[in-house]
Amino acid sequence: MTRILIVEDEERIVSFLEKGLRSNGYSTVAVGDGDSAVALARDDSFDLMILDLGLPGLDGRDVLRAVRSRGERLPILVLTARDGVEDTVGSLEQGADDYVTKPFRFEELLARIRLRTRSDGAAAETTVLSVGRVQLDLRSRRATNAERTVELTAREFALLETFMRHPGHVLSREQLLSHVWGYDFDPGSNVVDVYVRYLRRKLGEGTIETVRGMGYRMSD
Ligand code: CA
């Protein structure tokens, strides 16, 4: 199992990350300050570190410096603020492998994580998902239904991908919102229902079931 160290002081982002990563089969440990991060970030304990730059005590850049100067080589994915271009460049120079700008969508982060952890014996990345008659090619970004191409917007594609990565599972509106729209989205929004309707219109009414009081499910 791939082990991820989360270094983030904002509670709602920590819980967003932990829920999402665990439901995708990762094991996680979260700490909220730089000193604990430096103490825990060892190659033989973790496969990857997600590191927020703005932390109490030692900040993210201090953590990077300390961990890299000790010779740890685990991939480090930095979380930066939208306007923090200098932070981003600086952290890559100090040994970060990649970065994601806040606010981010979960799927975006997950794609980066998969890219960075693939070589360490993790299962090869699937490139074509298939549920019933629907197929999704993640490389060419192409969707087909009974071998006919279906045109999807980027958001529809991300939503369908989330369903197809969890075939037969009931996904709540909240899970779908955080996976596809990100943690900054209003939980009272009906945008999920609207997009499920779009997908049904394009793929057939029966493709995605409503599970009353719980959410939605896609099964074959
Ligand atoms: Ca922070």
Side-chain angles (χ1 to χ4, degrees), residues 8-10 52 54-55 102:
E8 167 63 76
D9 59 322
E10 211 174 318
D52 180 33
L55 293 169
K102 289 177 171 182

